[in-house]
C-alpha cells in the first residue's frame, strides 16, 4: 500500500495473495479451519500498533485470536458482545434504515446537507454478488452509477476492498450515502447512546478510527470515478438519550485517516513475517496442547502497549510476558519513548542508581537526576 492513497492518483487494485502465501497462511492457521476475514476494527487496531508482527500475522492468516487466547490460558472476557446487545444493535440499525432510509437521510441532510435539496426517495441499489470480491466490484459499480446519476443513493452494507501489508481486506460499513453533488459519506450506526448530544468519548474515538478505514477504502474507488469525492466527516448515528430514537453527529476523521494511512503503510508485508516463522510452527487449535500453541505464539515477535487491552484478544498474554521481562512498554508508549535505549525496568533502575549507563546519555542523566530528587524527598530509588 502506498502513501498515494487519497492524493488523487489512481490506486492499484488490491492484489491477491500468491498461491504460496495462501498455502503458508493456511498451514499457520490450520488447513481445516476457515480464515477469519480482516474487518475495519482489526485494521484500526493494526494501524494503532503497526510494529506488532504477531497481530499482523495472526490477522493476515485469519486465526481466531479469541479461541487461541483461551487455548493458551489467557482468555479475554472483554471481547465479544452479548446476544442481547447484538440483537438490540441489529434492531436499532433496522429502525434507522427503515422506510427506505428516510430517517437516515433526514439526519444526514440535517447534519451534513451543506445547502443541498432535502432528500426525497433515495435509490437503493442491489449489491448482491458472489463472494466478497464480487460484492466489492458490484459496490464500486453502484458508486460510479450513483455519482453519474446525481441523485441521493443509499448503499446498505456495501463491500469495500483495501490492500493491507500485501493482502486484500474486504470491509463492510453500515452504509454509504451518495449525495447529488457526488460526495460519498460513510454512515456508522452504533447502539451506545448520545446523552444531551454527547456520547462516550472513548467509544466515539473507536468509531472514528473504524470509520477512517472505510474512508480510506472508499478513496480508492473515488480516485477512479469522475466527479466523486469522499467526505472526511462521517455520520455517527446513535440512540438519543435513553430512548430508541435515532440521533446523529458529524465526526471529522481527518486526523484518524492520516494516522491510519501512515501506520498501515508502515506494516511489514505479511509474506515477510510468515517467511520468518520457523518451519513446523502452526496455530492450529485442533489437537495441539496449550504449551505447543504458546510456543507458536512466542515464535512471532510482539509489541505490547496498554492500549492493546482494548483492541486485541491476546493482550493479557502479551502483557504477562512484558511484565515478566520487565519491559517498559508495559508502562505505556509515551514512557517508552522517553526512556530511549533503556528498554527494561531493570536497566532504568540500574541507570538511576549509577550502576550502569553512560552518564553522557541524556536519558541516563535524566533518570539519575530524578533518582537524586526522589532521594532528597526521602524516598530512595529501590
Amino acid at each position: 500500500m502506498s502513501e498515494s492513497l487519497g492524493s488523487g492518483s489512481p490506486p492499484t487494485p488490491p492484489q491477491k495473495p500468491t498461491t504460496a502465501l495462501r498455502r503458508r497462511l493456511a498451514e499457520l492457521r490450520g488447513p481445516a479451519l476457515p480464515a477469519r476475514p480482516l474487518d475495519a476494527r482489526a485494521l484500526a487496531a493494526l494501524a494503532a500498533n503497526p510494529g506488532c508482527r504477531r497481530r499482523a500475522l495472526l490477522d493476515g492468516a485469519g486465526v481466531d485470536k479469541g479461541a487461541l487466547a483461551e487455548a493458551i490460558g489467557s482468555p479475554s472476557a472483554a471481547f465479544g458482545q452479548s446476544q442481547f446487545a447484538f440483537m438490540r444493535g441489529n434492531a436499532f440499525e433496522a429502525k434507522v434504515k427503515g422506510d427506505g432510509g428516510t430517517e437516515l437521510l433526514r439526519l444526514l441532510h440535517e447534519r451534513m446537507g451543506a445547502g443541498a435539496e432535502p432528500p426525497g426517495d433515495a435509490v437503493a441499489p442491489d449489491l448482491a454478488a458472489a463472494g466478497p470480491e464480487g460484492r466489492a466490484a458490484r459496490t464500486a459499480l453502484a458508486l460510479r452509477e450513483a455519482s453519474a446519476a446525481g441523485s441521493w443513493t443509499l448503499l446498505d452494507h456495501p463491500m469495500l476492498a483495501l490492500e493491507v501489508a500485501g493482502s486484500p481486506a474486504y470491509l463492510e460499513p453500515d452504509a454509504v450515502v451518495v449525495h447529488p453533488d457526488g460526495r460519498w459519506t460513510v454512515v456508522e450506526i452504533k447502539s451506545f447512546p448520545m446523552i444531551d448530544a454527547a456520547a462516550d468519548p472513548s467509544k466515539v474515538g473507536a468509531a472514528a478510527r473504524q470509520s477512517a478505514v472505510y474512508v480510506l477504502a472508499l478513496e480508492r474507488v473515488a480516485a477512479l470515478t469522475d466527479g466523486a469525492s469522499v467526505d472526511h466527516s462521517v455520520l455517527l448515528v446513535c440512540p438519543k438519550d435513553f430512548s430508541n430514537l435515532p440521533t446523529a453527529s458529524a465526526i471529522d476523521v481527518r486526523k484518524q485517516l492520516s494516522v491510519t494511512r501512515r501506520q498501515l503503510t508502515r506494516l511489514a508485508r505479511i509474506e515477510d513475517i510468515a517467511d520468518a516463522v520457523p518451519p513446523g510452527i502452526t496455530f492450529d487449535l485442533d489437537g495441539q496442547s496449550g504449551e505447543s500453541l504458546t510456543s507458536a505464539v512466542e515464535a512471532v515477535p510482539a509489541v505490547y502497549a496498554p492500549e492493546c487491552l482494548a483492541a486485541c484478544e491476546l493482550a493479557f498474554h502479551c502483557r504477562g510476558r512484558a511484565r515478566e521481562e520487565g519491559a517498559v512498554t508495559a508502562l505505556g508508549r509515551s514512557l517508552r519513548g522517553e526512556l530511549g535505549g533503556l528498554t527494561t525496568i531493570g536497566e532504568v533502575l540500574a541507570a538511576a542508581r549509577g550502576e550502569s549507563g553512560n552518564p553522557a546519555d541524556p536519558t541516563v542523566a535524566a533518570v539519575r537526576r530524578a533518582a537524586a530528587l526522589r532521594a532528597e524527598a526521602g524516598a530512595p530509588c529501590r
Side-chain angles (χ1 to χ4, degrees), residues 301-314:
V303 177
Y304 171 76
E307 294 85 351
C308 296
L309 292 172
C312 183
E313 295 90 333
L314 285 171

Side-chain angles (χ1 to χ4, degrees), residues 322-338:
R323 287 176 173 177
E324 289 174 9
E325 297 167 0
V328 295
T329 53
L331 303 177
R333 287 198 183 96
S334 59
L335 183 58
R336 171 67 186 89
E338 293 289 338

Side-chain angles (χ1 to χ4, degrees), residues 218-233:
L218 270 178
E219 287 183 340
R220 304 182 68 93
V221 186
L224 301 173
T225 305
D226 292 337
S229 63
V230 182
D231 208 328
H232 289 167
S233 289

Side-chain angles (χ1 to χ4, degrees), residues 95-171:
K95 181 181 180 68
V96 171
K97 294 178 178 177
D99 194 21
T102 301
E103 181 64 9
L104 173 57
L105 292 172
R106 184 192 68 79
L107 290 169
L108 179 70
H109 184 264
E110 183 180 291
R111 299 292 188 271
M112 306 172 67
E117 288 296 321
D121 293 334
V123 178
D126 181 8
L127 303 178
E133 188 175 2
R135 287 184 60 202
R138 179 68 187 89
T139 295
L141 178 60
L143 285 166
R144 295 186 184 105
E145 290 175 345
S147 297
S151 59
W152 289 98
T153 304
L154 173 62
L155 278 66
D156 187 7
H157 284 285
M159 184 67 74
L160 307 173
L162 184 66
E163 184 183 337
V164 180
S167 280
Y170 294 98
L171 315 170

